[in-house]
Amino acid sequence: MQLNEVFSIWDRFEKSKATEVVIETKDGKISLKKGGAVVMPPAPGMLPAQSAAPNAGTVSAQEPEQAVSETTPVSGEVVKAPFVGTFYRASAPGAEPFIKIGQTVKKGDVVGIIEAMKMMNEIVAPCDGTVTDIYVDDETLVEFGQALVCIGD
Protein backbone atom coordinates (compact mmCIF):
# COMPACT_ATOMS: atom_id res chain seq x y z
CA MET A 1 0.00 0.00 0.00
CA GLN A 2 1.38 3.39 -0.97
CA LEU A 3 1.63 6.26 1.51
CA ASN A 4 -0.79 8.43 -0.51
CA GLU A 5 -3.35 5.62 -0.25
CA VAL A 6 -2.95 5.59 3.54
CA PHE A 7 -3.45 9.37 3.66
CA SER A 8 -6.55 9.06 1.45
CA ILE A 9 -8.02 6.40 3.75
CA TRP A 10 -7.10 8.49 6.80
CA ASP A 11 -8.82 11.57 5.33
CA ARG A 12 -12.01 9.66 4.50
CA PHE A 13 -12.00 8.02 7.94
CA GLU A 14 -11.63 11.40 9.71
CA LYS A 15 -14.64 12.77 7.77
CA SER A 16 -16.79 9.71 8.50
CA LYS A 17 -18.82 8.87 11.59
CA ALA A 18 -16.93 5.59 12.01
CA THR A 19 -14.88 5.28 15.18
CA GLU A 20 -12.65 2.40 14.12
CA VAL A 21 -11.47 0.80 10.88
CA VAL A 22 -9.12 -2.16 10.23
CA ILE A 23 -7.58 -2.66 6.78
CA GLU A 24 -5.78 -5.86 5.79
CA THR A 25 -2.83 -5.38 3.39
CA LYS A 26 -0.21 -7.73 1.99
CA ASP A 27 2.28 -6.28 4.52
CA GLY A 28 0.02 -6.64 7.55
CA LYS A 29 -2.87 -4.60 8.83
CA ILE A 30 -3.61 -0.93 9.46
CA SER A 31 -5.91 0.01 12.34
CA LEU A 32 -7.44 3.47 12.64
CA LYS A 33 -9.34 4.50 15.74
CA LYS A 34 -10.64 7.95 16.57
CA GLY A 35 -9.06 9.14 19.77
CA GLY A 36 -6.45 6.41 19.36
CA ALA A 37 -3.25 5.76 17.50
CA VAL A 38 -2.38 4.54 14.04
CA VAL A 39 -0.88 1.07 14.19
CA MET A 40 1.15 -0.05 11.20
CA PRO A 41 3.59 -2.95 11.36
CA PRO A 42 7.08 -2.41 9.96
CA ALA A 43 7.73 -3.45 6.38
CA PRO A 44 9.39 -6.86 6.00
CA GLY A 45 13.10 -6.67 6.77
CA MET A 46 12.82 -3.45 8.75
CA LEU A 47 13.34 -3.24 12.49
CA PRO A 48 10.93 -1.31 14.72
CA ALA A 49 12.10 2.19 15.62
CA GLN A 50 14.17 2.53 18.78
CA SER A 51 12.52 4.30 21.69
CA ALA A 52 13.75 7.83 22.35
CA ALA A 53 14.26 6.86 25.99
CA PRO A 54 16.22 3.61 26.36
CA ASN A 55 15.25 3.29 30.04
CA ALA A 56 11.65 4.46 29.77
CA GLY A 57 10.79 3.10 33.22
CA THR A 58 13.29 5.33 35.04
CA VAL A 59 13.33 9.04 35.78
CA SER A 60 16.66 10.86 35.75
CA ALA A 61 17.58 14.38 36.75
CA GLN A 62 17.30 15.34 33.07
CA GLU A 63 13.67 14.19 32.88
CA PRO A 64 10.54 15.90 34.22
CA GLU A 65 9.85 16.15 37.93
CA GLN A 66 7.98 12.85 38.26
CA ALA A 67 6.41 10.09 36.24
CA VAL A 68 2.72 9.27 36.49
CA SER A 69 1.58 5.73 37.09
CA GLU A 70 -1.73 4.19 38.03
CA THR A 71 -0.75 4.44 41.72
CA THR A 72 0.62 8.01 41.69
CA PRO A 73 -1.81 10.27 43.56
CA VAL A 74 -2.76 13.22 41.37
CA SER A 75 -4.67 16.27 42.53
CA GLY A 76 -6.05 17.93 39.44
CA GLU A 77 -6.85 17.05 35.87
CA VAL A 78 -4.18 15.20 33.90
CA VAL A 79 -3.92 16.20 30.24
CA LYS A 80 -3.09 13.08 28.22
CA ALA A 81 -1.74 12.64 24.72
CA PRO A 82 -4.64 12.06 22.30
CA PHE A 83 -2.33 10.20 19.88
CA VAL A 84 1.25 9.12 19.28
CA GLY A 85 3.72 11.81 18.24
CA THR A 86 6.47 14.17 19.32
CA PHE A 87 5.55 16.56 22.14
CA TYR A 88 6.84 20.13 22.02
CA ARG A 89 6.61 22.48 25.01
CA ALA A 90 7.21 25.61 22.88
CA SER A 91 6.17 26.86 19.45
CA ALA A 92 9.76 26.89 18.14
CA PRO A 93 13.26 25.91 19.29
CA GLY A 94 14.49 28.48 21.80
CA ALA A 95 11.02 30.03 22.26
CA GLU A 96 9.35 30.42 25.65
CA PRO A 97 7.43 27.29 26.67
CA PHE A 98 3.65 27.47 26.51
CA ILE A 99 3.37 26.70 30.23
CA LYS A 100 5.48 26.51 33.38
CA ILE A 101 4.78 24.91 36.74
CA GLY A 102 2.78 27.32 38.88
CA GLN A 103 1.35 29.18 35.88
CA THR A 104 -2.39 29.80 35.77
CA VAL A 105 -4.15 28.60 32.61
CA LYS A 106 -7.66 28.98 31.29
CA LYS A 107 -9.71 26.33 29.50
CA GLY A 108 -8.57 26.27 25.87
CA ASP A 109 -5.06 27.67 26.49
CA VAL A 110 -2.35 25.81 24.55
CA VAL A 111 -0.22 23.65 26.88
CA GLY A 112 1.87 22.00 24.13
CA ILE A 113 2.00 20.70 20.59
CA ILE A 114 2.14 17.14 19.34
CA GLU A 115 3.57 16.58 15.88
CA ALA A 116 2.05 13.54 14.21
CA MET A 117 2.37 12.69 10.53
CA LYS A 118 4.01 16.08 9.84
CA MET A 119 0.98 17.88 11.32
CA MET A 120 1.31 20.16 14.35
CA ASN A 121 -1.63 19.62 16.72
CA GLU A 122 -2.22 22.02 19.61
CA ILE A 123 -2.96 20.39 22.96
CA VAL A 124 -5.21 22.63 25.06
CA ALA A 125 -6.10 22.89 28.73
CA PRO A 126 -9.41 21.12 29.43
CA CYS A 127 -10.15 23.37 32.41
CA ASP A 128 -9.10 26.50 34.30
CA GLY A 129 -6.43 26.01 36.94
CA THR A 130 -2.76 26.06 37.85
CA VAL A 131 -0.12 23.89 36.20
CA THR A 132 1.04 21.58 39.01
CA ASP A 133 3.20 19.13 37.04
CA ILE A 134 4.77 18.73 33.61
CA TYR A 135 5.51 15.07 32.94
CA VAL A 136 7.34 15.13 29.59
CA ASP A 137 10.32 17.04 28.25
CA ASP A 138 10.43 19.03 25.03
CA GLU A 139 10.82 16.95 21.85
CA THR A 140 9.79 13.73 23.61
CA LEU A 141 8.05 10.90 21.75
CA VAL A 142 4.72 10.31 23.54
CA GLU A 143 2.29 7.41 23.36
CA PHE A 144 -1.50 7.52 23.18
CA GLY A 145 -2.89 8.22 26.65
CA GLN A 146 0.46 9.23 28.15
CA ALA A 147 0.23 11.94 30.82
CA LEU A 148 1.59 15.27 29.60
CA VAL A 149 0.70 17.85 32.28
CA CYS A 150 -1.47 18.18 35.36
CA ILE A 151 -3.72 21.16 35.99
CA GLY A 152 -4.96 21.60 39.56
CA ASP A 153 -7.29 24.05 41.28
Side-chain angles (χ1 to χ4, degrees):
M1 179 172 275
Q2 297 293 319
L3 191 56
N4 61 347
E5 293 173 301
V6 173
F7 285 129
S8 175
I9 292 168
W10 177 280
D11 187 47
R12 291 194 336 212
F13 172 67
E14 285 295 311
K15 291 176 183 172
S16 75
K17 292 184 180 183
T19 58
E20 186 171 358
V21 131
V22 177
I23 302 161
E24 296 285 333
T25 70
K26 66 178 180 169
D27 297 322
K29 99 175 137 173
I30 299 171
S31 297
L32 301 175
K33 184 174 183 179
K34 289 188 179 166
V38 176
V39 179
M40 188 172 201
M46 294 186 69
L47 295 174
Q50 294 285 330
S51 170
N55 298 323
T58 63
V59 178
S60 71
Q62 300 290 325
E63 293 178 356
E65 293 78 37
Q66 73 182 77
V68 174
S69 71
E70 295 297 320
T71 59
T72 303
V74 175
S75 61
E77 186 157 350
V78 176
V79 180
K80 296 181 179 182
F83 39 77
V84 175
T86 304
F87 180 74
Y88 295 99
R89 291 184 56 191
S91 60
E96 280 291 310
F98 292 110
I99 57 169
K100 296 178 182 173
I101 292 179
Q103 178 179 336
T104 301
V105 294
K106 299 235 180 262
K107 182 178 181 175
D109 285 353
V110 176
V111 297
I113 295 174
I114 294 181
E115 177 186 10
M117 298 181 69
K118 307 237 184 226
M119 298 285 297
M120 296 297 190
N121 303 279
E122 292 182 339
I123 307 303
V124 297
C127 60
D128 294 349
T130 302
V131 178
T132 58
D133 286 299
I134 301 173
Y135 301 117
V136 293
D137 284 328
D138 192 38
E139 298 182 31
T140 300
L141 180 63
V142 295
E143 298 292 328
F144 168 71
Q146 181 177 343
L148 303 173
V149 301
C150 183
I151 300 172
D153 296 330

